[in-house]
Amino acid sequence: MTKHIFITGGVVSSLGKGITAASLAMLLNHRGYRVAMQKLDPYINVDPGTMSPYQHGEVYVTDDGAETDLDLGHYERFAEIKCSKASNFTTGRIYSTVIAKERRGEFLGGTVQVIPHITDEIKRAILSLDSPDVDIAITEIGGTAGDIESLPFLEAIRQFKHESGLGNSIFIHLTLVPYIKAAGEIKTKPSQQSVGILREIGIIPDVLVCRTEKPMEDEHFCKLALFCNILKELVIEERDVQNSIYEVPIELAAQKLDIKVLDLLRLEHKELDIENWKQMVDTVINPANGDVTVAVVGKYISLKDAYKSIYEALSHAGVANDVRVNIRMVESEELEKMTDCSLIADADAILVPGGFGDRGIPGKIKAIKYARENNIPFLGICLGMQCAVIEYARNVLGLTGADSTEFDANTPYPVIDLMLAQKKVCEKGGTMRLGAYPCIIKTDSKSARAYGTLNISERHRHRYEFNSVCRQQFEEGGLFIAGTSPDESLVEIIENPGLKWFVACQFHPEFKSRPLQAHPLFRDFIKAAMTK
Ligand code: GLN
């Protein structure tokens, strides 16, 4: 039988609920439990795929092609959990399902209501994680206690716990215990009030996890326990970590969160083995080989979360090479405006990530030209690969005006064009080429050396592709098509064989990188950066 943990958040957003949930999953995992995870998001978009990266941050893509919340990236990275379409439900998705059922006549004769129809659908979404292969399912509820829009989700988990019986479901509430500088004190009142809001709707947290900047004293634990109606030993401190988010599970293990949760769920403790993880964190903090600087030339740079998995994958690659990776975030429009390339000139490597639309493209192309002409290790991802193709067409093959039809519908040389399968697509939501597809790599490529195999599977999220009509011209002009779809119709990887390390891919390798297992392309990219 699958046991359930529900994680809610209080006081403010951005408390790191996803990282806390993922850290707990990691600890339970390393105690030998099989864990599944899920996020329930209260917004009305059916998925985050239609939101701007500035609104929502990165859209994380699963193997089965779901466009999801970036917290799922934490789940997969911390706990080595495989997320799927069952791992992220939004209000929009729940309502769409219920409304479709209503149209089919499944509730014929009845009035369709938030309770029970919406809440039942939410409970079905939660139960979709249950399987004989899952011991513990962790469900994170997006938003903050007190938000109007999260009420149906909270009501659903209240019912769920009530129906599941003693010891089978628990509530963890993550809250903020702020330090008030002027008073020189940390304050418990906001947490008391947040738990009060939950109590009004029938939820009494079993565990209170307190995010705090300063260490909490005994009096704070006592106060929180008494006024929040929670056992003192189940008030857990989660202090800010100094160096890396990967320290969080180690800190939570020191507070015995995992053991206390297992007790509440009436599960045996089993042994915890996180030695590899601790070593990885030591390497992040104190690498043996100094540091390298990677310029990430993006178009959503001002929002750190927009490239979350890229930054994490770079840090994993640092661990694999025992080096610190400093990330210089370069806004491509800034680079575009400059007369020179001084923003990226001293970087050890250049990475151009994915994106949509024509804003900032000249700056990306300028960065790629600089990398190519100065033999600086380069990794292009999705839009980054498409820009590398455009740059090569214009500046090496002499195809003036070459472009992607995404940016210039009338370009004389459409070297990047809409995929055939996309030409008849009208709706925007969930209609890109999404999820894992196989790719065959050519021997003698940098990619083959990195992966150590010629058959790979990587995740995608795009509508445009390398225009195969131009393929011969590029190959004759020295560009190496290093990877394609098995039927060779889609170009998946390009390389510039004359350069030290110049690789660009249509897929998103960053989604599959893990702290203990850096992605091969990121690993070798950083290795090349170390030779500058
Ligand atoms: N805009 C490009 C496309 O749709 C690239 C997408 C991306 O970088 N994820 O093909």
Side-chain angles (χ1 to χ4, degrees):
M1 175 196 173
T2 303
K3 307 247 179 179
H4 287 263
I5 300 173
F6 296 99
I7 303 195
T8 53
V11 184
V12 290
S13 59
S14 306
L15 276 183
K17 225 183 319 152
I19 290 173
T20 304
S23 298
L24 176 59
M26 178 271 186
L27 293 173
L28 297 173
N29 222 202
H30 284 246
R31 281 189 186 272
Y33 286 100
R34 297 160 307 168
V35 182
M37 297 191 78
Q38 174 183 66
K39 182 155 189 212
L40 305 180
D41 275 311
Y43 53 74
I44 296 184
N45 304 59
V46 171
D47 60 47
T50 52
M51 272 188 245
S52 151
Y54 284 124
Q55 279 275 318
H56 185 270
E58 169 184 283
V59 173
Y60 190 77
V61 181
T62 58
D63 267 348
D64 67 350
E67 295 178 281
T68 71
D69 187 80
L70 57 82
D71 275 332
L72 274 72
H74 294 311
Y75 303 168
E76 290 206 339
R77 285 188 284 269
F78 277 73
E80 296 186 35
I81 277 168
K82 200 153 181 205
C83 288
S84 68
K85 289 187 169 147
S87 313
N88 198 189
F89 287 86
T90 67
T91 294
R93 186 168 167 198
I94 297 286
Y95 270 78
S96 304
T97 308
V98 173
I99 291 168
K101 285 183 181 173
E102 185 274 334
R103 291 290 83 184
R104 285 198 299 271
E106 288 186 26
F107 311 116
L108 221 50
T111 306
V112 182
Q113 295 180 297
V114 173
I115 301 171
H117 300 93
I118 295 297
T119 45
D120 281 353
E121 199 55 46
I122 295 171
K123 287 192 281 181
R124 255 190 292 280
I126 296 165
L127 278 172
S128 71
L129 290 184
D130 281 29
S131 102
D133 301 327
V134 177
D135 302 313
I136 304 170
I138 301 180
T139 298
E140 176 190 347
I141 315 293
T144 307
D147 294 347
I148 291 173
E149 54 184 12
S150 59
L151 281 174
F153 289 102
L154 296 176
E155 169 60 12
I157 63 170
R158 185 197 66 74
Q159 292 180 12
F160 192 100
K161 185 181 181 193
H162 177 74
E163 289 166 347
S164 67
L166 267 181
N168 293 325
S169 303
I170 61 163
F171 293 139
I172 298 180
H173 189 54
L174 184 72
T175 183
L176 177 72
V177 180
Y179 174 71
I180 306 297
K181 217 168 160 190
E185 278 179 35
I186 59 176
K187 293 289 182 187
T188 61
K189 184 80 67 153
S191 301
Q192 296 176 36
Q193 287 175 339
S194 171
V195 173
I197 292 171
L198 289 179
R199 217 169 28 230
E200 269 174 36
I201 51 180
I203 291 180
I204 298 184
D206 299 282
V207 181
L208 193 70
V209 177
C210 306
R211 294 282 295 105
T212 170
E213 200 185 325
K214 305 266 180 199
M216 285 163 52
E217 309 288 339
D218 191 57
E219 57 165 314
H220 303 121
F221 287 97
C222 291
K223 243 189 193 173
L224 284 164
L226 184 63
F227 297 121
C228 297
N229 205 22
I230 293 171
L231 290 175
K232 188 180 162 197
E233 61 266 29
L234 295 177
V235 178
I236 309 274
E237 174 185 294
E238 187 186 331
R239 202 152 6 126
D240 292 355
V241 289
Q242 295 306 312
N243 305 289
S244 160
I245 54 169
Y246 299 122
E247 291 174 78
V248 175
I250 301 172
E251 290 302 314
L252 291 176
Q255 305 292 323
K256 300 195 169 53
L257 174 66
D258 50 340
I259 291 180
K260 292 173 182 180
V261 161
L262 288 172
D263 285 343
L264 286 168
L265 291 173
R266 301 175 182 182
L267 293 169
E268 57 177 302
H269 291 175
K270 297 190 191 177
E271 206 184 323
L272 176 66
D273 179 7
I274 51 170
E275 274 322 300
N276 287 352
W277 191 272
K278 284 183 173 165
Q279 266 171 28
M280 177 270 293
V281 170
D282 282 347
T283 309
V284 172
I285 298 170
N286 269 321
N289 298 322
D291 56 358
V292 290
T293 298
V294 177
V296 175
V297 184
K299 50 184 288 181
Y300 317 112
I301 288 292
S302 60
L303 192 89
K304 249 178 122 183
D305 276 353
Y307 299 113
K308 191 97 213 161
S309 295
I310 301 255
Y311 299 150
E312 291 306 312
L314 285 170
S315 121
H316 308 158
V319 172
N321 288 290
D322 215 345
V323 70
R324 173 169 294 115
V325 180
N326 300 319
I327 296 170
R328 181 174 312 154
M329 302 170 192
V330 178
E331 186 59 68
S332 57
E333 280 174 299
E334 291 294 312
L335 188 64
E336 184 180 329
K337 277 186 236 145
M338 295 180 80
T339 48
D340 59 15
C341 279
S342 52
L343 270 178
I344 55 171
D346 60 339
D348 299 302
I350 294 171
L351 188 153
V352 177
F356 297 84
D358 61 356
R359 184 184 60 80
I361 299 300
K364 286 181 179 251
I365 291 177
K366 187 172 170 183
I368 296 166
K369 180 168 187 271
Y370 190 84
R372 184 179 56 75
E373 289 180 342
N374 295 283
N375 204 1
I376 296 174
F378 169 76
L379 177 58
I381 294 176
C382 207
L383 176 65
M385 180 191 105
Q386 298 176 355
C387 288
V389 170
I390 297 168
E391 193 282 323
Y392 204 82
R394 290 182 190 170
N395 301 327
V396 179
L397 305 181
L399 305 177
T400 309
D403 217 328
S404 163
T405 51
E406 182 180 3
F407 318 132
D408 178 4
N410 302 314
T411 167
Y413 303 106
V415 291
I416 304 291
D417 197 10
L418 202 57
M419 274 179 280
L420 198 60
Q422 286 286 329
K423 297 215 161 144
K424 46 189 180 305
V425 170
C426 303
E427 291 196 356
K428 290 283 184 241
T431 56
M432 281 187 247
R433 179 173 181 243
L434 290 167
Y437 285 92
C439 162
I440 310 291
I441 306 182
K442 296 260 170 57
T443 42
D444 289 336
S445 61
K446 299 224 171 37
S447 306
R449 238 163 291 144
Y451 280 99
T453 170
L454 301 180
N455 294 291
I456 59 163
S457 167
E458 291 283 5
R459 300 181 192 174
H460 298 71
R461 183 172 185 248
H462 64 119
R463 292 189 200 280
Y464 292 81
E465 60 156 327
F466 184 110
N467 189 345
S468 285
V469 174
C470 320
R471 198 156 146 180
Q472 201 183 344
Q473 198 175 1
F474 274 90
E475 286 179 311
E476 285 168 6
L479 196 76
F480 183 31
I481 308 291
T484 63
S485 55
D487 66 359
E488 296 201 22
S489 64
L490 289 170
V491 171
E492 294 277 15
I493 308 176
I494 58 160
E495 294 184 8
N496 188 325
L499 300 177
K500 190 157 67 182
W501 210 89
F502 191 105
V503 178
C505 49
Q506 186 56 71
F507 48 80
H508 289 269
E510 70 273 25
F511 294 143
K512 288 180 70 172
S513 186
R514 304 287 174 260
L516 298 174
Q517 187 112 50
H519 189 282
L521 290 183
F522 277 85
R523 186 198 61 220
D524 281 15
F525 171 58
I526 292 303
K527 198 165 165 192
M530 289 163 74
T531 63
K532 189 183 168 204

